[in-house]
Amino acid sequence: MSSIDSEGMLISYRVELRRFQTIEHGDLLGVRALVIHQTDAPTARHTFNGYLSKGNGAHFLIEKDGAIYQTASVKKRCYHVGRYLRSKCLALDKATCDSRQVQSIQALTWTLQIRALDRYERTKDYPERYPMNADSLGIELVGKHLDAARYEEVTAMQKQSLRWLVSELHGHFRLTPKDVYTHPQISYKHPGEASTAEWQ
Ligand SMILES: [Zn+2]
């Protein structure tokens, strides 16, 4: 069991607090979803070093041995989703898209299409669109990118810690299993990122 303090930090013997205000960018509107990532770094230390100077980051980091770190307040926004959202209606059920809008967007070149789809998606409310930085928490799993299709396999201990963390966050923010995404599902990322993560 865990609780959340007034600073937005998860209080539990399972979580080590290692907050980096360098990766916090204003307040979250609320927590509607969780996004699972992999760091493309060999250890947690590499990511911490990056967080000292870099603006991008996520709220939690799970080391290969299962150690859970909270790296940003759950009340603050982190840049973990990326610039352009994918279209949820196109990915799940094209019939639920506004067909006129989508037809005109799909007539564009690929680069323009990505931007136009992102703008179209941001006119919707969650859960009609994928989560964005303003309404989601990011969870990073330590793991290197291997080749065009794969990341390192998520370890058994990481899976166990992720399951615990996701279930605690479900309780605190009234989320359901449908509100958990991997990064490549929602934006244009390396397809292997977090593909071996399990949280149920
Ligand atoms: Zn990611």
Side-chain angles (χ1 to χ4, degrees):
M1 280 295 290
S2 63
S3 60
I4 294 178
D5 73 10
S6 60
E7 287 291 300
M9 302 306 282
L10 202 58
I11 305 304
S12 162
Y13 71 95
R14 292 198 64 159
V15 181
E16 186 169 325
L17 305 182
R18 192 76 70 90
R19 185 176 179 183
F20 291 85
Q21 281 169 311
T22 42
I23 60 166
E24 296 177 349
H25 305 280
D27 294 334
L28 272 179
L29 302 174
V31 176
R32 311 290 306 280
L34 308 177
V35 183
I36 316 294
H37 302 261
Q38 269 179 299
T39 57
D40 190 21
T43 69
R45 175 185 286 269
H46 284 79
T47 300
F48 293 151
N49 286 340
Y51 283 179
L52 289 174
S53 57
K54 208 171 68 183
N56 295 344
H59 299 83
F60 294 93
L61 179 69
I62 302 179
E63 180 56 288
K64 286 187 174 169
D65 65 2
I68 302 172
Y69 298 93
Q70 184 175 357
T71 44
S73 163
V74 297
K75 295 182 171 183
K76 297 293 180 183
R77 186 183 310 206
C78 288
Y79 295 158
H80 62 98
V81 169
R83 180 71 186 82
Y84 300 114
L85 277 186
R86 285 181 182 274
S87 168
K88 191 176 186 182
C89 68
L90 272 184
L92 299 186
D93 180 7
K94 198 174 170 180
T96 62
C97 293
D98 174 339
S99 57
R100 276 238 308 275
Q101 280 263 24
V102 166
Q103 255 176 28
S104 70
I105 290 171
Q106 289 187 316
L108 301 169
T109 63
W110 177 241
T111 323
L112 292 175
Q113 217 178 103
I114 287 176
R115 295 179 193 174
L117 267 182
D118 175 75
R119 276 196 300 275
Y120 167 54
E121 291 300 314
R122 286 176 197 270
T123 63
K124 307 174 190 175
D125 287 323
Y126 185 85
E128 278 68 51
R129 58 159 167 76
Y130 284 130
M132 41 193 207
N133 289 326
D135 56 21
S136 65
L137 298 179
I139 301 172
E140 289 279 3
L141 304 171
V142 171
K144 282 288 286 175
H145 153 218
L146 297 176
D147 59 35
R150 295 174 310 140
Y151 266 68
E152 277 181 297
E153 177 123 17
V154 173
T155 70
M157 284 176 296
Q158 282 178 314
K159 289 176 187 173
Q160 201 179 63
S161 292
L162 181 62
R163 257 195 295 278
W164 177 83
L165 180 60
V166 164
S167 108
E168 292 296 307
L169 295 172
H170 276 180
H172 289 303
F173 298 106
R174 297 163 178 258
L175 306 175
T176 74
K178 283 187 167 172
D179 299 314
V180 188
Y181 303 84
T182 63
H183 196 188
Q185 268 183 290
I186 67 166
S187 82
Y188 302 89
K189 284 289 298 195
H190 188 290
E193 184 182 341
S195 65
T196 59
E198 291 170 16
W199 52 84
Q200 280 173 38

